[in-house]
Amino acid sequence: MTTSPDLSAAETATQERRTGYDAFMMRPMPRGVRTESTVVGGRAALELIPEHMENKSARLLYIHGGAFVMGSPTGYAGFVAQLTNRASIHTVSVDYRLAPEHPFPAAVDDALGAYRELLDQGTPADSIVLAGDSAGGNLVLAALLSARQAGLAMPAGAVLMSPVTDLSMASESMASKNGIDPLFVPEALAGPFAEYLAGTDPRAELASPVHADFSGFPDLLIQVGTHELLLDDATRLAARAAAHDVNVTLEVEAGAPHVFQIGYETSQTAASALDRIALFIGRALEASAHRA
């Protein structure tokens, strides 16, 4: 990687970790999905459009992961295209602003802005599903909380893969899964979370949605593995959403690591999880249309 001599050591390190993360996430594009660059809510975005769509008006809004400091629609394109293909849905993947340059709530504002623009473009809320992994799952929840506060209609549903929901890192699995999680130790998450928060109270609802009231939320699908520090971020979220009368489907995969779905090329467990997400998306859109 070539870096500018004008960059500081910290800026160079930030660029390098982002390049490395995109390389780690990169997957081949499946046949039958074309991509187009666009702008949504004032942010660059990538559209992924499958050849066959039964519902051409429906949209999947994808919010990528990367601990709030890494990730991009380009790096995620191959993975997101799997959902696009399996669900036969036109997808928009937004390039939200990253910390530390743009700390909380910049990414929340960008996720909300993308959702708001889909509505402003004439896409009915009941034709939209949101999805995100890890930090992206956090931003999906924060965007929906912000949308509700702004009086916007809720989408048909939301998909959360290994979502980050408690930036105070108070979930019991942060300790019980330390040493079992093959990807992270708590210290590896604490730094990026602190960069994102930049002094914000980690218990603030838009930063740690597990503390929020989810009344009026759409149907949720949550997938998580038992071998991850964030296991209880997901299970606590499911319990709290259910307590607020949200229809929640929680899938806990034994022995699976963080965002295990990215292993779909070699793991039938991961491939099956993506198939279930696609099925959820279709059912959520159908149910929402019937309620309209």
Side-chain angles (χ1 to χ4, degrees), residues 247-262:
N247 186 15
V248 184
T249 300
L250 172 66
E251 298 180 358
V252 182
E253 195 68 50
H258 187 62
V259 194
F260 64 91
Q261 298 86 347
I262 65 173

Side-chain angles (χ1 to χ4, degrees), residues 4-292:
S4 167
D6 296 329
L7 293 177
S8 68
E11 290 170 331
T12 298
T14 295
Q15 281 195 1
E16 289 177 346
R17 70 180 174 180
R18 288 173 182 166
T19 300
Y21 184 74
D22 276 354
F24 170 74
M25 287 301 304
M26 197 74 70
R27 298 293 186 275
M29 286 292 295
R31 292 181 180 179
V33 178
R34 62 183 173 90
T35 61
E36 296 181 2
S37 297
T38 188
V39 176
V40 178
R43 296 297 304 167
L46 189 67
E47 290 187 276
L48 300 97
I49 307 165
E51 286 183 356
H52 305 290
M53 291 182 289
E54 292 185 8
N55 184 350
K56 294 185 178 181
S57 66
R59 293 293 182 272
L60 175 66
L61 176 59
Y62 196 87
I63 315 294
H64 68 75
F68 307 102
V69 299
M70 301 175 291
S72 70
T74 300
Y76 266 76
F79 175 61
V80 176
Q82 289 294 321
L83 290 177
T84 296
N85 235 2
R86 293 166 194 247
S88 300
I89 189 170
H90 187 144
T91 300
V92 178
S93 180
V94 63
D95 193 13
Y96 60 84
R97 287 171 290 175
L98 300 173
E101 301 95 324
H102 304 285
F104 175 88
V108 178
D109 293 341
D110 292 344
L112 173 62
Y115 179 63
R116 186 190 292 273
E117 179 150 331
L118 289 181
L119 296 175
D120 290 345
Q121 289 174 351
T123 305
D126 59 19
S127 293
I128 301 173
V129 174
L130 274 63
D133 66 284
S134 194
N138 175 293
L139 295 173
V140 166
L141 293 167
L144 292 181
L145 289 168
S146 298
R148 186 184 63 187
Q149 183 176 9
L152 302 179
M154 287 289 100
V159 177
L160 310 165
M161 291 171 273
S162 300
V164 177
T165 66
D166 187 356
L167 294 185
S168 72
M169 301 177 66
S171 290
E172 291 184 8
S173 56
M174 282 288 172
S176 65
K177 299 300 180 179
N178 190 13
I180 296 174
D181 189 320
L183 298 177
F184 302 117
V185 294
E187 294 76 17
L189 298 177
F193 289 178
E195 288 182 293
Y196 175 62
L197 288 168
T200 298
D201 182 354
R203 291 181 58 85
E205 289 184 357
L206 292 183
S208 294
V210 75
H211 302 297
D213 181 335
F214 296 105
S215 299
F217 260 47
D219 294 354
L220 301 178
L221 171 62
I222 305 169
Q223 293 182 341
V224 67
T226 61
H227 283 191
E228 55 175 305
L229 297 177
L230 293 165
L231 169 61
D232 288 347
D233 276 38
T235 58
R236 290 169 61 204
L237 167 67
R240 187 165 180 86
H244 293 140
D245 293 326
V246 177
N247 186 15
V248 184
T249 300
L250 172 66
E251 298 180 358
V252 182
E253 195 68 50
H258 187 62
V259 194
F260 64 91
Q261 298 86 347
I262 65 173
Y264 63 87
E265 293 172 291
T266 57
S267 166
Q268 185 57 49
T269 295
S272 295
L274 292 179
D275 287 340
R276 293 194 301 275
I277 291 173
L279 185 62
F280 170 86
I281 291 171
R283 287 176 173 172
L285 290 169
E286 183 178 0
S288 187
H290 287 162
R291 289 194 295 266

